[in-house]
Amino acid sequence: MRVSCLSALGLALITSGFGALSATALDAPHSLHHARTSESHLTEPHRTAGHHIAARGGKSVTSLAAAAREQAHLTPRGRARASARHVALTTHRHHGPYERFTASSFAAKDIYVGDVTTGEDPVVRQAAIDAMGDMNVTAVVIDPSNGRILAMVNQKLALSPGAEPCSTIKITVAMAALSEGLVTRDTMVQLPGFRMNLTQALAHSNNLYFEELGRELGFERVRHYATQFGLGELAGYNIQGEQLGVYPDQALPPSEGGVGRMCSFGQGVSMTPLQLGAYVAALANGGTLYYLQHPTTPEDIAAFAPKVKRTLDIARYVPDLQDGMAGAVEYGTARRLRANFQAFPVFGKTGTCSDKGTRFGWFASYSDSPQGALVTVFFLEGGRPTFGPRAAELTGEFYKNLLDRNWFATKGQQETASVPAAPAPQVQQ
């Protein structure tokens, strides 16, 4: 699928010397401040061109400015990287603020008609509806401790075939790179004219950083982790109408940006709100990937028991990822959330891109309240008013609505009351 990714509007024109390049997403602030460091952290002396990840204690790597002056001497891998950079630049020049959108960002009718709500938490559902207003959006709220969907508003959109994940794909790529030992939160990665670490790259949604991680990982490892995290498979357990989405069997061709483009905003991937929610729930609980369940009858509610799809070995890496997701909310692409809500920490990732006249805005997050975590996915479809920071803003409004309704306090009282022990999770084979 050829997609015009508006999340690359922050990409600056490269000068003849390949100067500083701000390849941040549309959800990112226009000004990007890079941490300064006196040395690189990882050396790869066998490389002669392209971006470089620097190793702890090593010498400074070759800059892209120098590499640009030596293009005639590039290795095949270096030429492939240069080609990928050229694709990124030339592709995005044709889109951006002049792209014409044909879809509406606003709901033309009652988008909640047909939603099955029997097993949902009515307070959570109403808080989401009030936050959504007249936007064309779906909201999915999940209890990460057991995989139960507390509310799924606008179920037609939530259960649709999915959409390009935009920059939310970066949290799967980041976890893959952490799991493979490629980076930590502090590893500085050399990019054209600047360096940044994982925390900064997640907070500001930097495309070039994640394109580099994708090339370092290679398609097979990227795909392995994506499928382990639940992309390309049903996230729910017997949720009527749920669809698979798509994770491709092959990387994009180099002419379309290759694996780097797949890792910066998910080109070629189709992801559903439920898949993203299930993965973020696993981040929130330390690695248990539950089947999501949406009870729809009194019998389903009475018989509810958590169902484990698989256990992910990610607990040790979550703090490194969480720093960047916290940065997104505190000072990065999701900072609009804090205009409405600051009562306790929320960790999240925005995403913005477009396809065939329709723009997508994602925000996935988990919270850290005294009464436990909640996972939310807000996904918008529409035109120019639709983008990731707007989804983050709606999420902040949702949390504020819950706080105003004393939902967290009530939840805490219910949990401290004498209740029967919850059934043990069932591991599905």
Side-chain angles (χ1 to χ4, degrees):
M1 175 170 59
R2 182 175 296 276
V3 177
S4 63
C5 179
L6 290 173
S7 63
L9 280 177
L11 195 62
L13 293 176
I14 293 187
T15 65
S16 59
F18 285 91
L21 189 61
S22 179
T24 53
L26 174 66
D27 4 64
H30 291 297
S31 59
L32 182 60
H33 303 285
H34 310 294
R36 295 180 179 177
T37 181
S38 58
E39 62 177 7
S40 301
H41 298 292
L42 208 126
T43 54
E44 294 180 349
H46 61 286
R47 298 193 177 178
T48 60
H51 304 306
H52 297 270
I53 294 182
R56 194 174 297 278
K59 297 180 180 180
S60 297
V61 296
T62 305
S63 70
L64 273 211
R69 293 191 294 269
E70 300 173 0
Q71 294 225 359
H73 306 292
L74 291 181
T75 64
R77 190 173 185 182
R79 284 195 296 271
R81 288 166 184 253
S83 174
R85 288 194 300 277
H86 175 73
V87 168
L89 291 171
T90 56
T91 299
H92 297 315
R93 282 188 191 129
H94 298 299
H95 305 291
Y98 306 107
E99 184 174 7
R100 181 173 180 269
F101 296 106
T102 56
S104 174
S105 296
F106 305 100
K109 58 183 179 180
D110 188 349
I111 58 177
Y112 319 125
V113 171
D115 282 5
V116 179
T117 64
T118 303
E120 296 191 358
D121 184 314
V123 177
V124 173
R125 180 176 178 83
Q126 192 59 51
I129 290 173
D130 291 346
M132 291 160 62
D134 60 355
M135 298 293 289
N136 183 30
V137 55
T138 183
V140 180
V141 185
I142 301 163
D143 182 342
S145 69
N146 57 24
R148 181 168 177 171
I149 296 175
L150 302 178
M152 179 164 49
V153 185
N154 189 3
Q155 291 169 17
K156 182 178 180 180
L157 182 55
L159 300 175
S160 66
E164 187 156 310
C166 313
S167 288
T168 62
I169 198 69
K170 289 170 177 151
I171 56 176
T172 69
V173 176
M175 183 56 74
L178 289 166
S179 299
E180 288 290 314
L182 186 61
V183 294
T184 69
R185 77 184 89 184
D186 301 317
T187 305
M188 299 303 293
V189 175
Q190 183 67 49
L191 298 167
F194 63 95
R195 297 191 296 174
M196 66 182 357
N197 60 30
L198 179 62
T199 297
Q200 296 164 325
L202 282 169
H204 296 293
S205 199
N206 187 276
N207 287 336
L208 289 184
Y209 179 97
F210 285 95
E211 288 180 9
E212 176 62 15
L213 288 194
R215 287 188 289 266
E216 293 289 335
L217 286 164
F219 175 74
E220 292 303 324
R221 285 196 288 181
V222 168
R223 186 179 190 278
H224 166 75
Y225 282 99
T227 55
Q228 281 294 297
F229 299 156
L231 300 191
E233 63 185 27
L234 294 178
Y237 185 82
N238 291 339
I239 297 180
Q240 186 174 0
E242 184 191 1
Q243 301 190 51
L244 278 170
V246 175
Y247 201 92
D249 293 327
Q250 296 181 336
L252 290 173
S255 61
E256 296 181 24
V259 67
R261 185 67 61 83
M262 298 177 75
C263 292
S264 61
F265 57 88
Q267 183 165 323
V269 178
S270 182
M271 181 183 69
T272 71
L274 297 191
Q275 289 169 341
L276 182 56
Y279 171 60
V280 173
L283 296 179
N285 66 37
T288 301
L289 186 66
Y290 286 106
Y291 280 102
L292 301 186
Q293 296 185 70
H294 185 235
T296 57
T297 68
E299 292 75 21
D300 289 343
I301 297 169
F304 174 81
K307 298 182 187 299
V308 178
K309 179 185 288 189
R310 66 180 68 97
T311 301
L312 308 174
D313 185 20
I314 61 174
R316 77 192 86 168
Y317 308 117
V318 169
D320 282 22
L321 189 68
Q322 184 172 281
D323 272 7
M325 296 173 74
V329 175
E330 290 293 324
Y331 56 83
T333 62
R335 64 187 183 274
R336 282 188 172 199
L337 183 148
R338 288 176 54 80
N340 294 320
F341 185 78
Q342 301 183 34
F344 49 74
V346 177
F347 314 98
K349 183 70 193 78
T350 56
T352 307
C353 56
S354 61
D355 180 28
K356 299 176 182 176
T358 299
R359 202 177 195 185
F360 308 122
W362 294 90
F363 183 65
S365 69
Y366 63 94
S367 61
D368 183 18
S369 80
Q371 292 77 30
L374 273 184
V375 166
T376 64
V377 176
F378 277 68
F379 171 59
L380 297 85
E381 280 190 354
R384 200 165 300 280
T386 293
F387 57 117
R390 178 63 172 145
E393 185 177 8
L394 298 183
T395 303
E397 186 66 32
F398 163 74
Y399 277 117
K400 178 180 180 295
N401 292 342
L402 285 184
L403 197 66
D404 290 345
R405 291 167 168 84
N406 294 317
W407 185 84
F408 295 101
T410 303
K411 182 174 183 284
Q413 293 169 2
Q414 292 172 345
E415 290 178 349
T416 57
S418 177
V419 295
Q426 303 172 4
V427 179
Q428 302 298 308
Q429 300 297 331

